[in-house]
Amino acid sequence: MKIDLLRKLPEHMDTLVLLLDSKSKVDDIDHLPTHFKESIEAYVKKEEFKPEYGKMKSFQTVFKKHVSNIILCGAGVAANLTADKLRRLFADITRSAIRLKASNVYLFPSFAPPIGDTQYGHVLAEAALMTEYKFTKYLSQEKPHAIGSLHLALNVKSTRYINRGIIEGRLYAEVTNLARNLVNEPANVIYPETLAEAAKKAALKYGFSIDVYPMDRIRRLKMEAYLAVGKGSKAEPKLIVMRHMGNPDAKNKTIGLIGKGLTYDSGGYCLKPPQSMLNMKNDMAGSAAVIGAMCAAATLKLKVNIVAVVAACENMISGEAYHTGDLLRTMSGKTIEVINTDAEGRLTLVDAIHYAITKEKVDKILDIATLTGAAVGALGTEITPVVTNDDAWLAKLEAASEFTGEAIWRLPAHESYNELIKSQIADLKNTGGPFAGTITAALFIREFVGNKPWIHLDIAGTALRDKESGMYSVGATGVGVRLITQLLREMA
Ligand code: BES
Ligand code: MN
Ligand code: ZN
């Protein structure tokens, strides 16, 4: 989809969108020529359209000479609009345009929104391109409708900032959609080796460096917890390390991004029931998020040093698989008693974190993982729980979340819960019992970050949608890609 500022009004508009705030009428849209206005006004009157926020109406016209389709979209009180509220409107408009099989869309807002031009361009492009995304690769009949172009009619002093925003928003959407593709692919297509291949391809395209370490290397690194999880699978684990060194002179300033990369999670011998297992091809959404963020960071040439680590593997059953009761020695030397083979994500993450700290010398750690069903129970599918040991860094994440609209909420990492992950025979056990599962999983991970600033995002609830809404289609949301990208920008 081509997205730009409207320069010259064409003779014929395929689809005209009027974005009306509570105060304005069609007549107020000064950059809409009179001959259009007259024909349109009659329609709007007839529809008795009240431009409340989120109200939409679309119809085909009879004056096809000028306009084939009209979409009316209410924005409510313009002063109350935020970037995310606009994103939602642009998403709804895009959906409606797709439904009308629109080829060229002309968007006429009746007001100037209370956000900067760059952000305006950003949310427009991002929302349009993210809404257009649908995973239809394996449907031999149905192909999704693609809108050819979207033109924004806006009187701005300088087109520079809007255009910059459009480019930015396009990038955010593109790398998010890349992550969504990886997550939506089934486990017979994306397994550790092909996930690594996809990361390599992205590295080449977007310009960051990458190493993929095979089994023997992982063994030499003594990442025994990680290896234990992958043992039951025929698919060999791959340790994926991606680097963007945007500020080589900076000392002690490397950010480590750790993404959970379970390309499939059957639960292991603590086998999941079929319904819960179905979505476990998506258990690598954390790794997709860090791959997407690396693509963005490299494109934006962010002046920060970032090392992303994905300990990719599959949690399966076989004669080789790990057992409950196994005692594992992690790369850090800390020992773990396996209470449940389905609490595998944290086992891979802590070895990846220790690797990032000791071998890649990262100074800060952000991990992102589809880690606990309890996260879904606690906050549902709209809000990502966060656990952190660093208030200042969290403030930056909150600012990023405000910008991208990916909601987060902090959970308390209360010391007393540490009792729940103590084992009689090892330093830690890998589950904390039936209560506060998201917190105990986070506390387990915290044992491996030392005194480094740390942010933990549990995206088990937010990585997937089972209904389309806003910018999201059914399937992967790409949650975290934009959030982490924005956070990195706040830190650069
Ligand atoms: N990958 C799952 C978590 C998950 C659940 C992600 C639902 C997305 C949707 C994780 O590996 C897991 O199985 N967690 C267990 C932990 C438990 C055994 C302590 C869980 O949440 O049930
Ligand atoms: Mn599991
Ligand atoms: Zn898992």
Coordinates of all heavy atoms in Angstrom, one line a residue, residues 81-140:
L81 N -8.5 13.3 21.5 CA -7.9 12.2 20.7 C -6.4 12.0 21.2 O -5.7 12.9 21.5 CB -7.9 12.5 19.2 CG -9.2 12.3 18.5 CD1 -9.2 12.9 17.1 CD2 -9.7 10.9 18.5
T82 N -6.0 10.7 21.2 CA -4.6 10.4 21.5 C -4.1 9.6 20.3 O -4.9 9.3 19.4 CB -4.5 9.5 22.7 OG1 -5.3 8.3 22.4 CG2 -5.1 10.1 24.0
A83 N -2.8 9.4 20.3 CA -2.2 8.6 19.2 C -2.9 7.3 19.1 O -3.2 6.8 18.0 CB -0.7 8.5 19.4
D84 N -3.1 6.6 20.2 CA -3.7 5.3 20.1 C -5.2 5.3 19.7 O -5.6 4.4 19.0 CB -3.5 4.5 21.4 CG -3.5 3.0 21.1 OD1 -2.8 2.6 20.2 OD2 -4.3 2.3 21.8
K85 N -5.9 6.4 20.1 CA -7.3 6.5 19.6 C -7.3 6.7 18.1 O -8.2 6.2 17.4 CB -8.0 7.6 20.3 CG -8.4 7.3 21.7 CD -9.2 8.4 22.3 CE -9.9 8.0 23.6 NZ -10.3 9.2 24.4
L86 N -6.4 7.5 17.6 CA -6.3 7.7 16.1 C -5.9 6.4 15.4 O -6.5 6.0 14.4 CB -5.3 8.7 15.8 CG -5.8 10.2 15.9 CD1 -4.6 11.1 15.8 CD2 -6.8 10.5 14.8
R87 N -5.0 5.6 16.0 CA -4.6 4.4 15.5 C -5.8 3.5 15.3 O -6.0 2.8 14.2 CB -3.6 3.7 16.4 CG -2.6 2.8 15.8 CD -1.7 2.3 16.9 NE -0.4 2.9 16.9 CZ 0.1 3.5 18.0 NH1 -0.6 3.6 19.1 NH2 1.3 4.0 17.9
R88 N -6.6 3.5 16.3 CA -7.8 2.6 16.3 C -8.8 3.1 15.1 O -9.3 2.2 14.4 CB -8.5 2.7 17.6 CG -9.8 1.9 17.8 CD -9.4 0.5 17.9 NE -10.6 -0.3 17.6 CZ -11.0 -1.4 18.2 NH1 -10.2 -1.9 19.2 NH2 -12.1 -2.0 17.9
L89 N -8.9 4.4 15.0 CA -9.8 4.9 13.9 C -9.2 4.5 12.5 O -9.9 4.1 11.6 CB -9.9 6.4 14.0 CG -10.7 7.0 15.2 CD1 -10.8 8.5 15.1 CD2 -12.1 6.4 15.2
F90 N -7.9 4.7 12.4 CA -7.3 4.4 11.1 C -7.4 2.9 10.8 O -7.6 2.5 9.6 CB -5.8 4.8 11.1 CG -5.7 6.3 11.1 CD1 -4.6 6.9 11.8 CD2 -6.6 7.2 10.4 CE1 -4.4 8.3 11.8 CE2 -6.4 8.6 10.4 CZ -5.3 9.1 11.1
A91 N -7.3 2.1 11.8 CA -7.5 0.7 11.7 C -8.9 0.3 11.2 O -9.1 -0.4 10.2 CB -7.2 -0.1 13.0
D92 N -9.9 1.0 11.8 CA -11.3 0.7 11.4 C -11.6 1.2 10.0 O -12.3 0.5 9.2 CB -12.2 1.4 12.4 CG -12.2 0.7 13.8 OD1 -11.6 -0.4 13.9 OD2 -12.8 1.3 14.8
I93 N -11.0 2.3 9.7 CA -11.1 2.8 8.3 C -10.5 1.9 7.3 O -11.1 1.5 6.3 CB -10.5 4.2 8.2 CG1 -11.3 5.3 8.9 CG2 -10.3 4.6 6.7 CD1 -10.6 6.6 9.1
T94 N -9.3 1.4 7.6 CA -8.7 0.4 6.7 C -9.5 -0.8 6.5 O -9.7 -1.3 5.4 CB -7.3 0.1 7.2 OG1 -6.6 1.3 7.5 CG2 -6.5 -0.8 6.2
R95 N -10.0 -1.3 7.6 CA -10.8 -2.5 7.6 C -12.1 -2.3 6.7 O -12.4 -3.2 5.9 CB -11.3 -2.9 9.0 CG -11.0 -4.4 9.3 CD -11.3 -4.8 10.7 NE -10.1 -4.9 11.5 CZ -9.1 -5.8 11.2 NH1 -9.1 -6.5 10.1 NH2 -8.0 -5.8 12.0
S96 N -12.7 -1.2 6.9 CA -13.9 -0.8 6.1 C -13.5 -0.7 4.6 O -14.3 -1.1 3.7 CB -14.4 0.4 6.7 OG -15.4 1.0 6.0
A97 N -12.4 -0.1 4.3 CA -11.9 0.1 2.9 C -11.6 -1.3 2.3 O -12.0 -1.5 1.1 CB -10.7 1.0 2.9
I98 N -11.1 -2.2 3.1 CA -10.8 -3.5 2.5 C -12.1 -4.2 2.2 O -12.3 -4.8 1.2 CB -10.0 -4.3 3.5 CG1 -8.6 -3.8 3.7 CG2 -9.9 -5.8 3.1 CD1 -7.7 -4.4 4.8
R99 N -13.1 -4.0 3.1 CA -14.4 -4.7 2.9 C -15.0 -4.1 1.6 O -15.7 -4.9 0.9 CB -15.3 -4.4 4.1 CG -16.1 -5.6 4.5 CD -16.9 -5.4 5.8 NE -16.0 -5.4 7.0 CZ -15.9 -4.4 7.9 NH1 -16.7 -3.3 7.8 NH2 -15.1 -4.5 8.9
L100 N -14.8 -2.9 1.3 CA -15.4 -2.3 0.1 C -14.5 -2.6 -1.1 O -14.8 -2.1 -2.2 CB -15.5 -0.7 0.3 CG -16.5 -0.2 1.2 CD1 -16.2 1.3 1.6 CD2 -17.9 -0.4 0.7
K101 N -13.5 -3.3 -0.9 CA -12.5 -3.6 -2.0 C -12.0 -2.4 -2.6 O -11.8 -2.3 -3.9 CB -13.1 -4.6 -3.1 CG -13.6 -5.9 -2.5 CD -12.9 -7.1 -3.2 CE -13.4 -8.4 -2.7 NZ -13.0 -8.7 -1.3
A102 N -11.7 -1.4 -1.8 CA -11.2 -0.1 -2.3 C -9.8 -0.3 -2.9 O -9.0 -1.1 -2.4 CB -11.1 0.9 -1.1
S103 N -9.5 0.4 -4.0 CA -8.2 0.4 -4.5 C -7.4 1.7 -4.1 O -6.3 1.6 -3.7 CB -8.2 0.2 -6.0 OG -9.1 1.1 -6.6
N104 N -8.1 2.8 -4.2 CA -7.4 4.1 -3.8 C -8.3 4.8 -2.8 O -9.4 5.0 -3.0 CB -7.2 5.0 -5.0 CG -6.4 4.2 -6.1 OD1 -5.3 3.8 -5.8 ND2 -7.0 4.0 -7.2
V105 N -7.7 5.1 -1.7 CA -8.4 5.7 -0.6 C -7.9 7.1 -0.4 O -6.7 7.4 -0.3 CB -8.2 4.9 0.7 CG1 -9.0 5.5 1.9 CG2 -8.7 3.4 0.5
Y106 N -8.9 8.0 -0.2 CA -8.6 9.5 0.0 C -9.2 9.8 1.4 O -10.4 9.7 1.6 CB -9.2 10.3 -1.1 CG -8.5 10.0 -2.4 CD1 -9.0 8.9 -3.2 CD2 -7.5 10.7 -2.9 CE1 -8.4 8.6 -4.4 CE2 -6.9 10.4 -4.1 CZ -7.3 9.3 -4.8 OH -6.7 9.0 -6.0
L107 N -8.3 10.2 2.3 CA -8.7 10.5 3.6 C -8.7 11.9 3.9 O -7.7 12.6 3.9 CB -7.8 9.7 4.6 CG -7.9 9.9 6.1 CD1 -9.3 9.5 6.5 CD2 -6.9 9.0 6.8
F108 N -9.9 12.5 4.3 CA -10.1 13.9 4.6 C -10.5 14.1 6.0 O -11.7 13.9 6.4 CB -11.2 14.5 3.7 CG -10.7 14.7 2.2 CD1 -10.8 13.6 1.4 CD2 -10.3 15.9 1.8 CE1 -10.4 13.7 0.0 CE2 -9.9 16.0 0.4 CZ -9.9 15.0 -0.4
P109 N -9.6 14.5 6.9 CA -9.9 14.8 8.2 C -10.5 16.2 8.3 O -10.1 17.1 7.6 CB -8.6 14.7 9.0 CG -7.6 14.4 8.0 CD -8.1 14.6 6.7
S110 N -11.4 16.4 9.2 CA -12.1 17.8 9.3 C -11.4 18.6 10.4 O -11.8 19.7 10.7 CB -13.5 17.6 9.7 OG -13.6 17.1 11.0
F111 N -10.3 18.1 11.0 CA -9.7 18.8 12.1 C -8.2 18.4 12.2 O -7.8 17.4 11.6 CB -10.4 18.3 13.4 CG -10.3 16.8 13.6 CD1 -9.2 16.2 14.2 CD2 -11.2 15.9 13.0 CE1 -9.0 14.8 14.3 CE2 -11.1 14.5 13.1 CZ -10.0 14.0 13.7
A112 N -7.5 19.2 12.9 CA -6.1 18.8 13.2 C -6.0 18.2 14.5 O -6.5 18.7 15.5 CB -5.2 20.1 13.1
P113 N -5.5 17.0 14.6 CA -5.5 16.3 15.9 C -4.4 16.8 16.8 O -3.5 17.5 16.4 CB -5.1 14.8 15.5 CG -4.3 15.0 14.3 CD -4.8 16.2 13.5
P114 N -4.6 16.6 18.1 CA -3.7 17.2 19.1 C -2.4 16.4 19.3 O -1.9 16.3 20.4 CB -4.5 17.2 20.4 CG -5.4 16.0 20.2 CD -5.7 15.8 18.8
I115 N -1.8 15.9 18.2 CA -0.5 15.2 18.3 C 0.4 15.8 17.2 O -0.1 16.5 16.3 CB -0.6 13.7 18.1 CG1 -1.2 13.3 16.8 CG2 -1.4 13.1 19.3 CD1 -1.1 11.8 16.5
G116 N 1.6 15.6 17.3 CA 2.6 16.2 16.4 C 2.4 15.5 15.0 O 1.9 14.4 14.9
D117 N 2.9 16.2 14.0 CA 2.8 15.7 12.6 C 3.5 14.4 12.4 O 3.0 13.5 11.7 CB 3.4 16.7 11.6 CG 2.4 17.9 11.4 OD1 1.3 17.8 11.9 OD2 2.8 18.8 10.7
T118 N 4.7 14.3 13.0 CA 5.5 13.0 12.8 C 4.7 11.8 13.4 O 4.5 10.8 12.7 CB 6.8 13.1 13.6 OG1 7.5 14.3 13.2 CG2 7.7 11.9 13.2
Q119 N 4.1 12.1 14.6 CA 3.3 11.0 15.2 C 2.1 10.7 14.4 O 1.6 9.6 14.2 CB 3.0 11.4 16.6 CG 2.8 10.1 17.5 CD 2.5 10.5 18.9 OE1 2.3 11.6 19.3 NE2 2.4 9.5 19.7
Y120 N 1.5 11.7 13.8 CA 0.3 11.6 13.0 C 0.6 10.7 11.8 O -0.1 9.7 11.6 CB -0.2 13.0 12.5 CG -1.6 13.0 12.0 CD1 -2.5 12.0 12.2 CD2 -2.0 14.1 11.3 CE1 -3.8 12.1 11.7 CE2 -3.3 14.2 10.8 CZ -4.2 13.2 11.0 OH -5.5 13.3 10.5
G121 N 1.6 11.0 11.1 CA 2.0 10.2 9.9 C 2.3 8.8 10.4 O 2.0 7.8 9.7
H122 N 3.0 8.7 11.5 CA 3.4 7.4 12.0 C 2.2 6.5 12.3 O 2.1 5.3 11.8 CB 4.2 7.6 13.3 CG 4.7 6.3 13.9 ND1 6.1 6.0 14.1 CD2 4.1 5.2 14.4 CE1 6.2 4.8 14.6 NE2 5.0 4.3 14.8
V123 N 1.2 7.0 13.1 CA 0.1 6.1 13.4 C -0.8 5.8 12.2 O -1.3 4.7 12.1 CB -0.8 6.7 14.6 CG1 0.0 6.7 15.9 CG2 -1.4 8.0 14.2
L124 N -0.8 6.7 11.3 CA -1.6 6.5 10.1 C -1.0 5.3 9.3 O -1.7 4.3 9.0 CB -1.7 7.7 9.2 CG -2.3 7.5 7.8 CD1 -3.8 7.2 7.9 CD2 -2.0 8.6 6.8
A125 N 0.3 5.4 9.0 CA 0.9 4.3 8.2 C 0.9 3.0 8.9 O 0.6 1.9 8.4 CB 2.3 4.7 7.8
E126 N 1.3 3.1 10.2 CA 1.4 1.9 11.0 C 0.0 1.1 11.1 O -0.1 -0.1 10.9 CB 1.8 2.3 12.4 CG 2.0 1.1 13.4 CD 2.5 1.7 14.7 OE1 3.8 2.0 14.8 OE2 1.8 1.8 15.7
A127 N -1.0 1.9 11.4 CA -2.3 1.3 11.6 C -2.8 0.7 10.2 O -3.3 -0.4 10.2 CB -3.3 2.3 12.1
A128 N -2.6 1.4 9.1 CA -3.1 0.9 7.9 C -2.4 -0.4 7.5 O -3.0 -1.3 7.1 CB -2.9 2.0 6.8
L129 N -1.1 -0.4 7.6 CA -0.3 -1.5 7.2 C -0.5 -2.7 8.1 O -0.4 -3.9 7.7 CB 1.2 -1.2 7.0 CG 1.4 -0.2 5.9 CD1 2.8 0.5 6.0 CD2 1.2 -0.9 4.5
M130 N -0.6 -2.4 9.4 CA -0.8 -3.6 10.4 C -2.2 -4.2 10.2 O -2.4 -5.4 10.4 CB -0.6 -3.1 11.8 CG 0.9 -3.1 12.1 SD 1.3 -2.8 13.8 CE 0.5 -4.2 14.6
T131 N -3.2 -3.3 9.9 CA -4.6 -3.8 9.7 C -4.7 -4.7 8.4 O -5.4 -5.6 8.4 CB -5.5 -2.6 9.6 OG1 -5.4 -1.8 10.8 CG2 -7.0 -3.1 9.6
E132 N -3.9 -4.3 7.4 CA -4.0 -5.0 6.1 C -3.4 -6.4 6.3 O -3.7 -7.3 5.5 CB -3.2 -4.2 5.1 CG -3.7 -4.5 3.7 CD -2.9 -3.7 2.7 OE1 -1.7 -3.5 2.8 OE2 -3.5 -3.3 1.7
Y133 N -2.6 -6.6 7.3 CA -1.9 -7.9 7.4 C -2.9 -9.0 7.7 O -3.8 -8.9 8.6 CB -0.9 -7.9 8.5 CG -0.3 -9.2 8.8 CD1 0.9 -9.6 8.1 CD2 -0.8 -10.1 9.8 CE1 1.4 -10.9 8.4 CE2 -0.3 -11.3 10.0 CZ 0.8 -11.7 9.3 OH 1.4 -13.0 9.6
K134 N -2.7 -10.1 7.0 CA -3.5 -11.3 7.3 C -2.6 -12.5 6.9 O -1.9 -12.4 5.8 CB -4.8 -11.3 6.4 CG -6.0 -11.6 7.2 CD -7.3 -11.5 6.3 CE -8.5 -12.1 7.0 NZ -9.6 -12.0 6.2
F135 N -2.7 -13.6 7.6 CA -1.8 -14.7 7.3 C -2.6 -15.7 6.4 O -3.4 -16.5 6.9 CB -1.4 -15.4 8.6 CG -0.4 -16.5 8.4 CD1 0.9 -16.2 8.0 CD2 -0.7 -17.8 8.6 CE1 1.9 -17.2 7.8 CE2 0.3 -18.8 8.4 CZ 1.6 -18.5 8.0
T136 N -2.5 -15.5 5.1 CA -3.3 -16.3 4.2 C -2.5 -17.2 3.3 O -3.0 -17.7 2.3 CB -4.1 -15.3 3.2 OG1 -3.1 -14.4 2.7 CG2 -5.1 -14.5 4.0
K137 N -1.2 -17.3 3.6 CA -0.2 -18.0 2.8 C -0.7 -19.4 2.4 O -0.4 -19.9 1.3 CB 1.0 -18.2 3.7 CG 2.2 -18.6 2.9 CD 3.4 -18.6 3.9 CE 4.5 -19.4 3.4 NZ 5.6 -19.5 4.4
Y138 N -1.4 -20.1 3.3 CA -1.8 -21.5 3.0 C -3.2 -21.6 2.5 O -3.8 -22.7 2.5 CB -1.6 -22.3 4.3 CG -0.1 -22.4 4.7 CD1 0.4 -21.6 5.7 CD2 0.8 -23.2 4.0 CE1 1.7 -21.6 6.1 CE2 2.1 -23.2 4.3 CZ 2.6 -22.4 5.4 OH 3.9 -22.4 5.7
L139 N -3.9 -20.5 2.2 CA -5.2 -20.6 1.6 C -5.1 -20.5 0.1 O -4.6 -19.5 -0.4 CB -6.1 -19.4 2.1 CG -6.5 -19.4 3.6 CD1 -7.1 -18.0 3.9 CD2 -7.6 -20.5 3.8
S140 N -5.4 -21.6 -0.5 CA -5.2 -21.7 -2.0 C -6.2 -20.8 -2.7 O -5.9 -20.3 -3.8 CB -5.1 -23.1 -2.5 OG -6.0 -23.9 -1.8

